[in-house]
Amino acid sequence: MIVSARSVSLTYQSADGEVEALKEVSFDINEGEFISLVGPSGCGKSTLLSIIAGLERPTSGTVYVDGEAVTGPSEKIGFMPQKDQLFPWRTIWGNVTLGPELRKQKDASLAESLLERYGLSDFKKKTPSQLSGGMRQRCALIRTLATDPKILLLDEPFSALDYQTRLSVSADIHGIICNEKKTALLVTHDISEAVSLSDRIVVLSKRPGQVKDIYDLTDLKGLSPMERRSDGRFKEFFNEIWKELDINV
Amino acid sequence: MSEGISVLRAEYLEEQRKNRRAVTFWRWALLLLFFVGWEAAARAELIDPFIFSCPSRMAMTLASLFSSGELFLHVGTSVLETIAGFILGTLAGTAIAVALWWSDFCSKVAEPYLVVLNSLPKTALGPIFIVWMGAGPGAIIAMTLAISLIVTILDMLNGFLETDKEKIRLMRTLGASKLQILFKLVLPSNFATMINALKVNVGLSWVGVIMGEFLVSKAGLGYLIVYGSQVFKMDLVMTTVLILALSAALMYRCILWLEKALKKYMGVTV
Ligand SMILES: Nc1ncnc2c1ncn2[C@@H]1O[C@H](COP(=O)(O)OP(=O)(O)OP(=O)(O)O)[C@@H](O)[C@H]1O
Ligand SMILES: [Mg+2]
């Protein structure tokens, strides 16, 4: 087990009162797994990622990464935020080497080889605005991979893309993550995205977020995201999770 | 060039060109009309040139200012004071805004002071500066600072606080220290805010300098205006106002050039 959350609870304190965001959340992630986290809006998904990333301390409970309790940001964890968040005042090269630069590492050969491997070498000197949405997303992933983390946390990284682009970009990013043999935890609002990409899906209840169910998609293992979408079992999983989320319109 | 362009496009471009030319023409025509009208009114004794001056008398005043070398002394003094004022105002304002961004506590403590100082008419402080710093450029620059500093602090701090939260989250997961977040994210992402502060401060610094020179000074455009009105040399007053308008506009132009150069240097496209 590379990540292990044990009874993680977090209550936000503010002037207006308390907000119980997470309650007794426990789950494990095995090395190399691709896990999705779904749940109603405001149920504490981003909060959970912040705790695993070491940006937020839980009120009680502990998260272990590689057997060690998380106390602060660590090199083992890479984070991919909402939208690509590339810095427009930096070139592509300046963006993907941000991590090594902040950690004062001189060696940027990993960033170099990742750009090479994923066909972005020619764009090094370009600015983010000169790239398409899909390529920007690739750059954002390479920026995260450039510090060689073991675990990737993705917080709705595709939410700003339109539907068509989203289908291909999510498959693309999924492919790169598998290719690099990273463990991933993806937060998404999109159930079909979760079913098409994941090995397992963790469903959180509405606030305070608790683990409601964990779906095992081993049945679909080996199929590409596109193949999964046209598989008969896709709809079953979709419907079950949909019911579980209990979204009242 | 003209190959590949459709007839419709060519017509549109031609239309645009004509339009631009007409605008330029009327801009100059209006200026010319104004001065010719002024001169004519003075010659026809519709207005008293002793009080309202007129372009020919202003031209003569300008020539004598130029030949005696006074022109450069006064323009130079005011321009230097203004540049000192807006550079100091922008730098000090940004530095204080950084300090307030850094410490939540300090910014909470400072808040009521900023609000009160912001609503205070800064010109009221003029006489105090003169007493403290003596009648000279020091008091004048202090005046310009008083006018531009608080606005700069408030604008910059606002910009800093609006830095994208997700970007800060990203920086933190990459192991960034607060200092790194400041220099590699908050300051560069507020480049536009800074340029904007610079533009506003050029204008405010001119106000401060002229105000200051009205109160105390032995040189400068403000001094010339006050001196001219006291000895009833309206030609001198009008000429100086014209020079002032040109200087201020030219300086603003320089800031626009600076902005362009900086953007190019930084590769900023936003
Ligand atoms: N710093 C904070 N102080 C107080 N309350 C907070 C804070 N951050 C988040 N919350 C509250 O905690 C709850 C969980 O927030 P979180 O952002 O983790 O939800 P989420 O599942 O990511 O939501 P979404 O689907 O909208 O992204 C929300 O009700 C939110 O209002
Ligand atoms: Mg969220």
Side-chain angles (χ1 to χ4, degrees), chain B residues 248-261:
Chain B
L250 211 65
M251 203 181 270
Y252 192 76
R253 249 290 129 93
C254 288
I255 297 293
L256 293 185
W257 279 326
L258 180 74
E259 176 183 12
K260 231 173 162 177

Side-chain angles (χ1 to χ4, degrees), chain A residues 12-14 19-21 39-48 56 82 155-156 187 189 207:
Chain A
Y12 283 112
Q13 296 292 344
S14 75
V19 177
E20 197 177 10
S41 188
C43 74
K45 304 181 292 295
S46 299
T47 304
L48 188 54
E56 202 96 56
Q82 236 166 56
D155 196 350
E156 302 188 45
V187 167
H189 266 123
R207 212 182 66 215

Side-chain angles (χ1 to χ4, degrees), chain B residues 41-101:
Chain B
R43 298 249 162 127
E45 289 177 4
L46 292 173
I47 56 172
D48 183 354
F50 188 63
I51 293 173
F52 290 97
S53 187
C54 71
S56 59
R57 296 173 66 140
M58 283 161 70
M60 259 147 46
T61 314
L62 188 65
S64 81
L65 277 176
F66 183 83
S67 58
S68 69
E70 273 180 284
L71 182 67
F72 300 104
L73 169 73
H74 296 297
V75 171
T77 306
S78 291
V79 164
L80 282 183
E81 284 166 350
T82 308
I83 291 178
F86 84 75
I87 290 180
L88 268 175
T90 312
L91 288 184
T94 307
I96 295 171
V98 164
L100 296 180
W101 171 82

